Amino acid sequence: MLNPYLPYPVRIDEIITETVDKNLKTFRFVFLNPEDEQKFAYQAGQFAELSVTGKGEIPIGIASSPTEKGFVMFTVNKVGLVSSYLHAMKAGDIMGLRGPLGNWYPWERLKGKNVVIIGGGFAFTTLRSSIVYMLDPANRKDFKDIHVIYGARSPGMLLYRKELAAWEERDDINVHITVDASDDPDWKYNVGFVPTITEQKAPPGNADTYAIVCGPPIMIKFTQPVLDKLNYGHDHIIMSLEMRMKCGIGICGRCNIGKEFVCKDGPVFTLAQLNGMPREY
Ligand SMILES: Cc1cc2nc3c(=O)[nH]c(=O)nc-3n(C[C@H](O)[C@H](O)[C@H](O)COP(=O)(O)OP(=O)(O)OC[C@H]3O[C@@H](n4cnc5c(N)ncnc54)[C@H](O)[C@@H]3O)c2cc1C
Ligand code: FES
């Protein structure tokens, strides 16, 4: 039996500084053993533990899409011990990757439906994975209208800016980029908080429309009443939680909410499921 704690060795192939404050970097990894890439088969919405020898492991959402082959990608905010160490690493350095872990967005249920992606700040990582997955030529026909509402504090704090601009140009996805404020005279997208832009741009809720919401607690707090107003059922609002974790495989008991282990039963839950759980997240 495979040891679930054993990470796959990976090499940092490329590091991209995403934001002007340089606190968010995207790491592209390649597997040292090509067969490990097959073993790491994942779905959009899952996460993995990035492990740095002698420093520890951190759970990070997978930002690449399963349709992108030859690499796997993560975007990491520099907040503490392991993430700071990772930020100081260089292309060519070797580290570990354990996973894929957790559940994923319910792709089977979303087939044939409208999907509204609502994201804020650096929680856009698994949403990027989801958008790339849905837009893949092999998958696009499986979904009806796709809307994306994504906001950051300022233009320089948006992730994946080139891709956002490219999606903006396409006619098979409706992209609404927004910032809280901008002093850039050339800024051509929205200015306003994500809940406000959601109210203006999101389609009304119905049996055929699902929202995937991922962002800071304040954004979620003010977006939920907007979705209620737009008539989204709580079983049609899908969220991803970022609890403190250790093992990532439902053994250590570090991440539970009531009887649910966020690492194993989640991190993806519908709002209807979360309503039935203790408010510990
Ligand atoms: C399923 C999942 C997906 C995640 N995806 C991403 C991602 O795509 N990109 C990303 O940058 N981060 C993500 N996180 C958060 C990330 O795991 C933490 O920021 C990271 O573990 C911090 O480790 P550290 O050693 O650098 O910081 P530490 O030294 O452990 O802590 C530094 C500070 O960060 C806070 N912190 C630590 N862990 C968390 C956490 N889980 N949530 C909120 N605050 C925390 C601590 O309270 C402390 O204030 C995700 C977490 C989970 C559970
Ligand atoms: S992190 Fe150990 S049970 Fe979830």
Side-chain angles (χ1 to χ4, degrees), residues 242-276:
E242 292 198 357
M243 297 286 286
R244 292 283 230 146
M245 292 181 182
K246 198 163 174 64
C247 71
I249 50 175
I251 290 177
C252 74
R254 178 85 175 256
C255 70
N256 69 301
I257 302 178
K259 62 180 177 41
E260 309 284 341
F261 291 107
V262 175
C263 67
K264 191 165 68 73
D265 304 315
V268 174
F269 297 96
T270 63
L271 183 55
Q273 287 174 306
L274 291 176
N275 290 341

Coordinates of all heavy atoms in Angstrom, one line a residue, residues 242-276:
E242 N -11.1 27.1 3.9 CA -9.6 27.0 4.1 C -9.4 26.9 5.6 O -9.0 27.9 6.2 CB -8.9 28.3 3.5 CG -9.0 28.3 2.0 CD -8.0 29.2 1.3 OE1 -7.3 29.9 2.1 OE2 -8.0 29.2 0.1
M243 N -9.6 25.8 6.2 CA -9.3 25.6 7.6 C -7.8 25.3 7.8 O -7.1 24.9 6.9 CB -10.1 24.4 8.1 CG -11.6 24.5 8.1 SD -12.2 25.6 9.3 CE -12.1 24.6 10.8
R244 N -7.4 25.5 9.1 CA -6.0 25.0 9.4 C -6.0 23.5 9.3 O -7.0 22.8 9.7 CB -5.7 25.4 10.9 CG -5.6 26.8 11.1 CD -4.2 27.3 10.6 NE -3.6 28.1 11.6 CZ -2.3 28.1 11.7 NH1 -1.5 27.4 11.0 NH2 -1.7 28.9 12.6
M245 N -5.0 22.9 8.7 CA -4.9 21.4 8.5 C -3.6 20.9 8.8 O -2.6 21.7 8.9 CB -5.2 21.1 7.0 CG -6.6 21.4 6.6 SD -6.8 21.0 4.9 CE -8.5 21.5 4.7
K246 N -3.5 19.6 9.0 CA -2.2 19.0 9.3 C -2.0 17.8 8.3 O -1.3 17.9 7.3 CB -2.0 18.6 10.7 CG -0.6 18.4 11.1 CD -0.4 18.4 12.6 CE 1.0 18.0 13.0 NZ 2.0 19.0 12.6
C247 N -2.8 16.7 8.6 CA -2.5 15.5 7.8 C -3.1 15.6 6.4 O -2.6 15.1 5.4 CB -3.1 14.2 8.5 SG -4.9 14.2 8.6
G248 N -4.3 16.2 6.3 CA -4.9 16.4 5.0 C -5.7 15.2 4.5 O -6.2 15.1 3.4
I249 N -5.7 14.1 5.4 CA -6.4 12.8 4.9 C -7.3 12.3 6.0 O -7.6 11.1 6.0 CB -5.3 11.8 4.5 CG1 -4.2 11.6 5.7 CG2 -4.6 12.1 3.2 CD1 -3.2 10.5 5.4
G250 N -7.9 13.1 6.8 CA -8.9 12.7 7.8 C -8.4 11.9 8.9 O -9.2 11.1 9.5
I251 N -7.2 12.0 9.3 CA -6.7 11.2 10.4 C -6.4 12.0 11.7 O -6.8 11.5 12.8 CB -5.4 10.4 9.9 CG1 -5.8 9.3 8.9 CG2 -4.6 9.8 11.1 CD1 -4.6 8.6 8.3
C252 N -5.8 13.1 11.6 CA -5.3 13.8 12.8 C -6.4 14.6 13.6 O -6.2 14.9 14.7 CB -4.2 14.8 12.4 SG -4.8 16.3 11.6
G253 N -7.6 14.8 13.0 CA -8.6 15.5 13.7 C -8.4 17.0 13.8 O -9.1 17.6 14.6
R254 N -7.5 17.6 13.1 CA -7.2 19.0 13.2 C -8.2 19.9 12.6 O -8.4 21.0 13.0 CB -5.8 19.2 12.5 CG -5.3 20.6 12.5 CD -4.6 20.9 13.8 NE -4.0 22.3 13.7 CZ -2.7 22.5 13.5 NH1 -1.8 21.5 13.4 NH2 -2.2 23.7 13.5
C255 N -8.9 19.4 11.5 CA -9.7 20.3 10.7 C -11.2 20.1 10.8 O -12.0 20.6 9.9 CB -9.3 20.2 9.2 SG -9.8 18.6 8.6
N256 N -11.7 19.3 11.8 CA -13.1 19.0 11.7 C -14.0 20.1 12.1 O -13.7 21.0 12.9 CB -13.4 17.7 12.6 CG -13.2 18.0 14.0 OD1 -12.2 18.4 14.5 ND2 -14.3 17.8 14.8
I257 N -15.2 20.1 11.5 CA -16.3 21.0 11.9 C -17.4 20.0 12.2 O -17.9 19.3 11.3 CB -16.8 21.9 10.7 CG1 -15.6 22.8 10.2 CG2 -17.9 22.8 11.2 CD1 -16.0 23.7 9.1
G258 N -17.8 19.9 13.5 CA -18.8 18.9 13.8 C -18.2 17.5 13.4 O -17.0 17.2 13.8
K259 N -18.9 16.7 12.7 CA -18.4 15.4 12.3 C -17.7 15.4 10.9 O -17.2 14.4 10.5 CB -19.5 14.3 12.4 CG -20.6 14.5 11.5 CD -21.7 13.4 11.7 CE -22.9 13.6 10.8 NZ -22.7 14.1 9.4
E260 N -17.7 16.5 10.3 CA -17.1 16.6 8.9 C -15.6 17.0 9.0 O -15.2 17.9 9.7 CB -17.8 17.7 8.1 CG -19.3 17.6 8.0 CD -19.8 16.5 7.1 OE1 -19.0 16.0 6.3 OE2 -20.9 16.1 7.2
F261 N -14.8 16.3 8.3 CA -13.4 16.7 8.2 C -13.2 17.5 6.9 O -13.5 17.0 5.8 CB -12.5 15.4 8.1 CG -12.4 14.6 9.4 CD1 -13.0 13.4 9.5 CD2 -11.7 15.2 10.5 CE1 -13.0 12.7 10.7 CE2 -11.7 14.4 11.7 CZ -12.3 13.2 11.8
V262 N -12.8 18.8 7.1 CA -12.8 19.7 5.9 C -11.8 19.1 4.9 O -12.0 19.2 3.7 CB -12.4 21.1 6.4 CG1 -12.2 22.0 5.1 CG2 -13.5 21.7 7.3
C263 N -10.7 18.5 5.4 CA -9.7 18.0 4.4 C -10.1 16.8 3.6 O -9.7 16.6 2.5 CB -8.4 17.6 5.2 SG -8.6 16.1 6.2
K264 N -11.1 16.0 4.1 CA -11.5 14.8 3.4 C -12.9 14.9 2.9 O -13.2 14.6 1.7 CB -11.4 13.6 4.4 CG -11.5 12.2 3.8 CD -11.1 11.1 4.7 CE -12.0 10.9 5.9 NZ -13.3 10.3 5.7
D265 N -13.8 15.4 3.7 CA -15.2 15.5 3.3 C -15.4 16.8 2.5 O -16.3 17.0 1.7 CB -16.2 15.6 4.5 CG -16.0 14.3 5.4 OD1 -15.9 13.2 4.8 OD2 -15.9 14.5 6.6
G266 N -14.5 17.7 2.7 CA -14.4 19.0 1.9 C -13.1 19.1 1.2 O -12.6 18.0 0.9
P267 N -12.6 20.2 0.8 CA -13.0 21.5 1.4 C -14.3 22.1 0.7 O -14.8 23.1 1.1 CB -11.8 22.4 1.0 CG -11.2 21.8 -0.2 CD -11.4 20.3 0.0
V268 N -14.8 21.4 -0.3 CA -16.0 22.0 -1.1 C -17.3 21.5 -0.4 O -17.5 20.3 -0.3 CB -15.9 21.5 -2.6 CG1 -17.1 22.0 -3.3 CG2 -14.6 22.0 -3.2
F269 N -18.1 22.5 -0.1 CA -19.4 22.2 0.5 C -20.4 23.1 -0.2 O -20.1 24.2 -0.5 CB -19.5 22.5 2.0 CG -18.5 21.6 2.8 CD1 -17.3 22.0 3.2 CD2 -18.9 20.3 3.2 CE1 -16.4 21.3 3.9 CE2 -18.1 19.5 4.0 CZ -16.8 20.0 4.3
T270 N -21.7 22.7 -0.2 CA -22.7 23.6 -0.6 C -23.1 24.5 0.6 O -22.9 24.0 1.7 CB -24.0 22.9 -1.2 OG1 -24.6 22.2 -0.1 CG2 -23.7 22.1 -2.4
L271 N -23.7 25.6 0.4 CA -24.1 26.5 1.5 C -25.2 25.7 2.3 O -25.2 25.8 3.5 CB -24.7 27.8 1.0 CG -25.1 28.8 2.1 CD1 -24.0 29.1 3.1 CD2 -25.5 30.1 1.4
A272 N -26.0 24.9 1.6 CA -27.0 24.1 2.4 C -26.3 23.2 3.3 O -26.8 23.0 4.5 CB -27.9 23.3 1.4
Q273 N -25.2 22.5 2.9 CA -24.5 21.7 3.8 C -23.9 22.5 5.0 O -24.0 22.1 6.2 CB -23.3 21.0 3.1 CG -23.8 19.9 2.1 CD -22.6 19.3 1.3 OE1 -21.9 20.1 0.7 NE2 -22.5 18.0 1.4
L274 N -23.3 23.6 4.7 CA -22.7 24.4 5.7 C -23.7 24.9 6.7 O -23.4 25.0 7.9 CB -21.9 25.6 5.1 CG -20.7 25.3 4.3 CD1 -20.1 26.5 3.6 CD2 -19.6 24.6 5.1
N275 N -24.9 25.2 6.3 CA -26.0 25.7 7.2 C -26.3 24.6 8.2 O -26.7 25.0 9.3 CB -27.3 26.0 6.4 CG -27.2 27.2 5.5 OD1 -26.3 28.0 5.7 ND2 -28.0 27.3 4.5
G276 N -26.0 23.4 7.9 CA -26.3 22.3 8.9 C -25.1 21.9 9.7 O -25.2 21.0 10.5

